[in-house]
Structure formats: C-alpha cells, structure tokens
Amino acid sequence: GGADGRLLSVERLQTPPNVVLLLDSSGSMKGQMEKTVAAAQAFINGLPDNAVIQLVDFDTTQTLVEGTTKAAALAGLKTVKANGATSLNDSILLGVKLLEKKQRPTLIVFTDGMDANANDTGPGSKATPKQVFDSVAAAGIPLFTIGFGDKHDVATLQKLADLSGGRYYSAANPQVLEQVFAA
C-alpha cells in the first residue's frame, strides 16, 4: 500500500541443476564404449547429490533410463551396450525438449558425433542438422559436447556448443575431461 518495507534477509537458494546426459551407444562407439561409460560415471559422481539427471542412451532410438537421481543414472550406465545407428540429431532435440522450462538446465552429449555410416547398422536421425542447430540456438540451454574417438565430428560438435553458449571438448585428453566435470 505504498508503505516502506524492511528487508529481513537475503539468502541464496540452492536450486539443483537439471542435467540431461545423452550417451551415444551406437555401433561406431564400440571401440570407445568402456572409456565413454567411465567418463560418464566420473561426470555423474561429480554432480551435487541433489542434481536432477536424466540419462538418455541413444543409438538408432533414444532410451530414457528410468529415474532422475545420481544412483539411477549410475545404475543405468551398466545397461549400455554399443549397437545400432547414430541418431544424434533426434537425441539432441529430445534433450532440449526434456530441459524446457527447467531451472539450471544443462545438456551434455557424449558422442563420436557421426551420422549413419558404414560402422552403423541402420539409418540415423530423422531430424536434419538445420532443425537441430535452430532448436539449440533458440533454446538458450547450454550444450556441452564431448567427442570420443579419433574421427569424431569436431565441426558439428563445436557448432552445437557455440550456438548454445556451451563448450566442445575432446575426450582424448583426460585432464581436460576432469576440468569439464569440475566446471
């Protein structure tokens, strides 16, 4: 009613991060699946205990691992097997959708960044790269891409990260991965 108010306290709320971790388990990941799962375990273990994390195992299709706790995500990693095609574009669109209207959203992608190729057993994404780039740019959700394998698609992973305000990293350097996870 126009009367002066008196500030009683200012406290920082500890809003837990909302993380979607997209884990590429396509056939092209066979040579680095063990290393990828180990890196995902380290990442998940480094999250705050109250973090909300949705693990998505993707190859030809996307599979949401049941539960959104650290324990559920870690248990889900034990079921990941490399097989099928790479549906990277469709998976990123799913990750963006899962994080819509969430507080402190972050999208993490562990992949070799390859579309369907000779190493895969079927077709890749239905979504086009343009659809994905447009969606990532519009979402305002930081996307961190971590490329595995010697031939991962650096250009695509870098562009996705740049469009979102996130960062691209190569998994070839374990010290860099530790810095990523700490950040």
Side-chain angles (χ1 to χ4, degrees):
D4 287 342
R6 187 176 63 146
L7 182 63
L8 299 177
S9 71
V10 175
E11 298 174 26
R12 183 179 295 250
L13 294 176
Q14 295 297 324
T15 304
N18 279 282
V19 177
V20 170
L21 173 58
L22 302 176
L23 185 66
D24 183 348
S25 62
S26 65
S28 61
M29 291 288 288
K30 278 187 180 165
Q32 56 263 356
M33 201 72 244
E34 187 176 316
K35 180 180 175 183
T36 304
V37 168
Q41 287 172 328
F43 172 75
I44 293 166
N45 281 324
L47 290 171
D49 289 337
N50 65 345
V52 177
I53 179 164
Q54 177 66 66
L55 176 63
V56 179
D57 174 10
F58 74 93
D59 45 45
T60 306
T61 60
Q62 300 80 40
T63 303
L64 274 68
V65 173
E66 192 172 320
T68 57
T69 64
K70 286 174 59 171
L74 290 168
L77 287 175
K78 295 176 183 171
T79 66
V80 174
K81 302 283 184 260
N83 191 22
T86 304
S87 61
L88 178 62
N89 294 343
D90 294 348
S91 299
I92 290 172
L93 290 178
L94 174 62
V96 167
K97 183 176 177 156
L98 289 170
L99 289 168
E100 284 177 346
K101 300 181 182 171
K102 301 286 185 187
Q103 293 186 333
R104 295 187 62 200
T106 304
L107 183 57
I108 311 287
V109 183
F110 285 38
T111 184
D112 59 8
M114 300 170 78
D115 291 326
N117 60 42
N119 295 326
D120 290 322
T121 59
S125 292
K126 292 176 180 73
T128 66
K130 181 179 179 351
Q131 289 171 313
V132 173
F133 295 144
D134 290 349
S135 178
V136 165
I141 297 169
L143 189 146
F144 295 87
T145 56
I146 302 170
F148 286 82
D150 295 336
K151 297 178 183 174
H152 69 267
D153 185 352
V154 174
T156 298
L157 298 180
Q158 182 71 58
K159 183 172 183 177
L160 287 164
D162 290 346
L163 285 170
S164 71
R167 302 245 353 234
Y168 153 77
Y169 300 94
S170 172
N173 185 338
Q175 291 80 20
V176 169
L177 281 182
E178 289 173 17
Q179 293 170 2
V180 173
F181 301 156

